Amino acid sequence: MPKIVVLDYGSGNLRSAERALSRVGADVTVTSDADEATEADGLVVPGVGAFAACMAGLQSIGGPRIIDRRLAGGRPVLGICVGMQVLFDLGVEWGERTVGCGQWPGTVEQIKADVLPHMGWNTVTAPAGSALFHGLDADTRFYFVHSFGVRRWELEPSEALRPPLVTWAHHGEDFVAAVENGALAATQFHPEKSGDAGAAVLQNWLRDVVG
């Protein structure tokens, strides 16, 4: 039974994430303790609300350093919703620019759509070889609630590094719905609110990424 920490930094559906991970067989702890978060088999970084507020909360407990240390050792991290967004370089919300964790280049900004927030069930387009979406049909729906997202993938291709697998969704325009990049993975949707489909994504992450 893998030991998973849901990082408590004052933001996110902590108990929902805890229950969803327990449902698929994880031994889950919700904590802000840096040592526990660093040493766990897997770390989940949730997030709800504003990019700036989430970054302030993360920084208050040393979250960026925890994520850096885990990834330097090849230890899995999963970001969810704003917990995914803060992994990018920059967030721009209502004219406020906030520096993110910088794990991936790119800017989180308002999605161009007639109706915001993007709230409810939507399909995604996953690339071949995806671990997170393994075994799921193309018409599988996941639960989203957000007005901001990553509208362009900006990481330049490299012959030296295996490229991340990027999953897209569409609401008004295409936006990044998930990223799989070795030990670092993230979803814009909420797997903990996505019923059996979300449980399958979490189970795939535990089996194929956390191991």
Side-chain angles (χ1 to χ4, degrees):
M1 183 178 289
K3 296 185 180 298
I4 305 298
V5 162
V6 175
L7 190 61
D8 182 2
Y9 63 96
S11 178
N13 299 297
L14 302 176
R15 298 306 167 188
S16 295
E18 179 185 26
R19 288 193 297 270
L21 287 157
S22 295
R23 174 189 172 191
V24 295
D27 177 6
V28 190
T29 301
V30 178
T31 183
S32 60
D33 183 83
D35 290 337
E36 286 190 66
T38 302
E39 297 301 323
D41 296 323
L43 177 69
V44 173
V45 182
V48 171
F51 188 106
C54 285
M55 275 307 301
L58 264 184
Q59 289 167 340
S60 73
I61 66 161
R65 183 167 182 267
I66 292 169
I67 293 169
D68 280 342
R69 289 177 63 192
R70 288 191 60 85
L71 295 176
R75 293 177 175 172
V77 175
L78 175 67
I80 294 175
C81 196
V82 186
M84 165 179 151
Q85 295 178 1
V86 295
L87 297 172
F88 287 85
D89 279 340
L90 183 69
V92 180
E93 293 187 0
W94 316 122
E96 182 176 10
R97 299 170 64 87
T98 305
V99 175
C101 294
Q103 297 295 336
W104 295 311
T107 300
V108 177
E109 55 193 336
Q110 187 168 302
I111 295 169
K112 294 188 183 301
D114 291 338
V115 177
L116 290 175
H118 171 218
M119 183 165 61
W121 298 85
N122 202 349
T123 57
V124 302
T125 302
S130 167
L132 291 183
F133 299 98
H134 177 75
L136 292 169
D137 294 333
D139 60 355
T140 301
R141 293 179 176 271
F142 302 92
Y143 188 80
F144 291 83
V145 53
H146 65 114
S147 297
F148 297 83
V150 177
R151 301 166 58 222
R152 293 174 299 278
W153 182 253
E154 298 182 15
L155 184 64
E156 294 292 335
S158 167
E159 293 182 0
L161 298 173
R162 186 176 180 180
L165 297 178
V166 182
T167 293
W168 296 85
H170 187 88
H171 179 73
E173 64 176 344
D174 290 344
F175 63 88
V176 175
V179 185
E180 299 166 67
N181 187 194
L184 183 59
T187 66
Q188 177 63 67
F189 60 85
H190 287 274
E192 79 281 7
K193 294 183 177 182
S194 296
D196 290 344
V201 168
L202 293 175
Q203 193 165 42
N204 285 342
W205 179 67
L206 289 177
R207 183 189 63 233
D208 296 332
V209 182
V210 177

